[in-house]
Amino acid sequence: MTLWQGRLAGEMAGEVAELSVSVSFDSELAIDDIAGSKAHVRGLAKAGILSDEEASVLLEALGQVGAELASGIFVFLPTDEDVHTAVERRVTELAGDTGAKLHTGRSRNDQVATDLRLWSRRSLLEVAGEVVALQEVLLRRATEAGDAYLPGYTHMQRAQPVLLAHHLLAHGWALARDVDRLVATVERLDVSPLGAGALAGSSLPLDPDFVAEQLGFASRFENSLDAVSDRDFVAEALFDLALLGVHLSRMGEEMVLWSSEEWGFCTLADAYATGSSMLPQKKNPDVAELARGKTGRLVGHLTGMLTTLKGLPLAYNRDLQEDKEPLFDAVAQVRAVLRALAGLYATAEWHQERMQAAADGPTSAAVDLAELLVARGTPFRQAHALVAGLVRESIARHVPLVELVQAHPDLGDAGAQLLEPGVPVSRRTTPGGAGPVAVAEQVERFVRRLDVDRSRLEIHVQTLYASPVPDTAPGAGSAPGGAAAEHAAGHAPPPPRA
Ligand code: ARG
């Protein structure tokens, strides 16, 4: 069945169905479609368009469709064009003639926009919760790492030693910005399009504010044309996920390098590694490689979506159907990577002696030598040239740098002491710096930031559970708390881990 059969004669051509039918992927929106429909029914009852009894019948039917979906017995028919058709078809089977009133004053255009915002709100909060879980792993590993250090690199050349904790938390702070972006996107998309109709609103006395409240949206649309054609939130979500993916990719790349024999900075747990079908000795970092590899498609989804949107005239165009698959895929892929990478980081064994040996190279204190000279009154540019000259001489004449430093009248013993293992990193004392004192403070700040982000997420998750208005259709819908509460109860995101 199509919902628009009356206008066109005969059946849809097979090729058209193949091109346009979306139920294979938009069935993902079923629970949101039911929530939106329940709110709409309550709105119709409030407007006097449905009797209380009719509203009850429809709400009960929608409840049953929800139960059938939850228990996996709901059957999508090959003739269901999309999820909206499937739900309305089943409601009509259950509710008889009253089912024919469900779509009053509504279009699939405002309906699908509503569904996708509900889905995005929940899913992005779930992703953010999983980012926090990965941050917690990084924090734990950072705390355990104590004063272990490794080379910090610029241009992939050893530059200055940094604490392992500092390095791990660098990723943690990048992820904190991802959480911030995801939550900001959720806050911005928290607008109900329901009531915009096909594009222009309605002649019926509908109340978009009322249905927005029913669904726990922060507000309703301001402009019906914008409401049905706005997919900014999809593009934003795809950007958030692509950038998060880029961060995960960089982490993955690093673990590929660190677990190689060349680096030898860590050994991956067997559960988070893979073998080779041909080479019996191999232990491969596939999790880290997939973290890196998945990012290509995440970036592709973003550019694809922006390209789909860029030429569209107002208002709804069928092109917009292309918003769902990239978004669903991006969320699924990022979540899979987040979980696996959290496990990888949680279980990797660090080889601190290898890290430290690499960081204790003779030139790791070069800038400390220059800064010693600065402290003694030499302008930095001269100090830099002097130390660079010693490094060059050390290499050219095969003389250990420490001997040249010791022998230099401006450096001597104090200079030589700076070359002792572990000394350079201990001197990175400025706020946000890589040494133990600064990192201890950073850890405290990171813990506080995680607490703040967890509470932010918690508040949003609670909003999904709680309905701001009581159920107003008498006898309709059982759950106190209205459609938003029912909706959230069915699909509660995991509360962010404490
Ligand atoms: N499957 C469609 C989409 O995802 C639903 C809206 C259809 N609207 C329409 N006017 N054909 O965009």
Side-chain angles (χ1 to χ4, degrees):
M1 164 188 104
T2 62
L3 300 174
W4 38 265
Q5 241 158 1
R7 170 66 181 81
L8 306 177
E11 290 292 301
M12 186 195 274
E15 308 87 283
V16 177
E18 211 173 297
L19 174 68
S20 64
V21 168
S22 57
V23 72
S24 62
F25 54 87
D26 66 17
S27 54
E28 172 82 18
L29 297 174
I31 179 145
D32 303 289
D33 200 70
I34 289 170
S37 293
K38 284 182 175 174
H40 182 61
V41 166
R42 290 186 174 114
L44 292 174
K46 177 173 174 277
I49 297 162
L50 291 178
S51 69
D52 289 347
E53 205 197 321
E54 287 170 326
S56 296
V57 168
L58 287 176
L59 289 169
E60 200 166 306
L62 284 162
Q64 178 163 341
V65 176
E68 289 176 6
L69 279 157
S71 60
I73 59 168
F74 185 92
V75 183
F76 287 96
L77 302 179
T79 47
D80 290 334
E81 188 182 2
D82 53 25
V83 66
H84 324 294
T85 312
V87 170
E88 189 178 330
R89 188 248 319 143
R90 183 72 186 127
V91 165
T92 307
E93 283 166 10
L94 294 166
D97 289 347
T98 313
K101 296 192 172 184
L102 174 62
H103 209 54
T104 311
R106 185 176 69 168
S107 158
R108 280 182 297 168
N109 300 351
D110 57 346
Q111 188 177 0
V112 72
T114 304
D115 294 0
L116 196 57
R117 281 176 189 261
L118 290 172
W119 186 93
S120 301
R121 196 171 61 166
R122 182 177 69 246
S123 303
L124 297 183
L125 290 175
E126 285 170 359
V127 174
E130 285 175 20
V131 177
V132 170
L134 175 57
Q135 289 178 290
E136 283 164 349
V137 170
L138 291 171
L139 172 63
R140 181 165 60 71
R141 299 300 326 245
T143 316
E144 286 166 7
D147 286 350
Y149 57 92
L150 75 166
Y153 298 82
T154 62
H155 313 270
M156 276 305 277
Q157 309 289 321
R158 290 177 193 166
Q160 283 184 287
V162 298
L163 284 198
L164 176 57
H166 191 60
H167 190 113
L168 294 171
L169 287 185
H171 295 307
W173 289 107
L175 295 174
R177 294 190 294 277
D178 292 313
V179 171
D180 190 52
R181 260 186 292 274
L182 288 164
V183 174
T185 298
V186 165
E187 287 168 356
R188 221 176 348 263
L189 71 74
D190 201 7
V191 179
S192 172
L194 193 56
L199 77 167
S202 180
S203 68
L204 300 168
L206 301 178
D207 181 355
D209 285 306
F210 173 78
V211 289
E213 279 174 49
Q214 284 286 307
L215 290 167
F217 279 118
S219 62
R220 60 135 169 105
F221 63 94
E222 299 287 349
N223 177 307
S224 61
L225 290 170
D226 185 42
V228 292
S229 60
D230 172 17
R231 292 296 184 276
D232 290 4
F233 68 100
V234 178
E236 272 189 51
L238 288 172
F239 173 77
D240 298 347
L241 295 165
L243 187 51
L244 169 56
V246 166
H247 292 150
L248 301 176
S249 174
R250 293 175 69 172
M251 292 170 70
E253 162 68 356
E254 188 170 277
M255 289 303 261
V256 170
L257 295 176
W258 284 15
S259 63
S260 70
E261 271 179 76
E262 282 68 15
W263 253 261
F265 284 3
C266 68
T267 300
L268 303 180
D270 284 0
Y272 290 91
T274 48
S276 157
S277 62
M278 177 174 170
L279 307 175
Q281 84 282 14
K282 291 303 296 292
K283 178 168 171 179
N284 292 329
D286 290 29
V287 168
E289 291 168 296
L290 285 168
R292 195 176 56 189
K294 296 281 185 192
T295 306
R297 71 205 258 187
L298 298 176
V299 174
H301 288 330
L302 171 63
T303 53
M305 189 68 229
L306 289 171
T307 311
T308 296
L309 294 177
K310 82 173 194 54
L312 294 188
L314 292 175
Y316 178 83
N317 298 274
R318 190 64 179 270
D319 315 45
L320 291 176
Q321 182 168 293
E322 290 297 307
D323 58 1
K324 283 170 236 20
E325 285 165 290
L327 183 61
F328 296 162
D329 183 64
V331 165
Q333 300 302 328
V334 163
R335 292 184 70 172
V337 169
L338 280 167
R339 288 184 208 141
L341 213 51
L344 184 90
Y345 271 87
T347 54
E349 181 194 345
W350 308 127
H351 299 309
Q352 297 179 359
E353 35 351 289
R354 279 281 295 213
M355 293 180 176
Q356 288 176 201
D360 287 335
T363 55
S364 67
V367 81
D368 296 81
L369 292 170
E371 285 170 5
L372 176 65
L373 293 168
V374 166
R376 292 173 169 183
T378 308
F380 178 73
R381 193 48 58 214
Q382 286 168 26
H384 182 286
L386 191 154
V387 176
L390 292 180
V391 170
R392 194 153 30 98
E393 188 185 344
S394 154
I395 294 165
R397 289 178 43 218
H398 304 288
V399 181
L401 182 65
V402 65
E403 283 179 26
L404 299 177
V405 167
Q406 187 90 57
H408 196 282
D410 296 340
L411 292 166
D413 282 349
Q417 271 165 24
L418 295 178
L419 302 190
E420 293 290 320
V423 172
V425 75
S426 72
R427 292 165 51 84
R428 306 273 81 80
T429 48
T430 43
V437 174
V439 169
E441 200 224 342
Q442 184 192 160
V443 166
E444 282 175 28
R445 295 169 81 102
F446 191 75
V447 167
R448 282 204 293 276
R449 172 65 180 262
L450 270 184
D451 285 343
V452 168
D453 285 347
R454 269 194 222 99
S455 322
R456 255 177 110 189
L457 284 178
E458 195 73 47
I459 288 166
H460 282 289
V461 169
Q462 292 310 325
T463 314
L464 295 189
Y465 277 103
S467 172
V469 289
D471 195 62
T472 49
S478 41
E486 290 166 36
H487 179 236
H491 270 64
R497 285 172 222 183

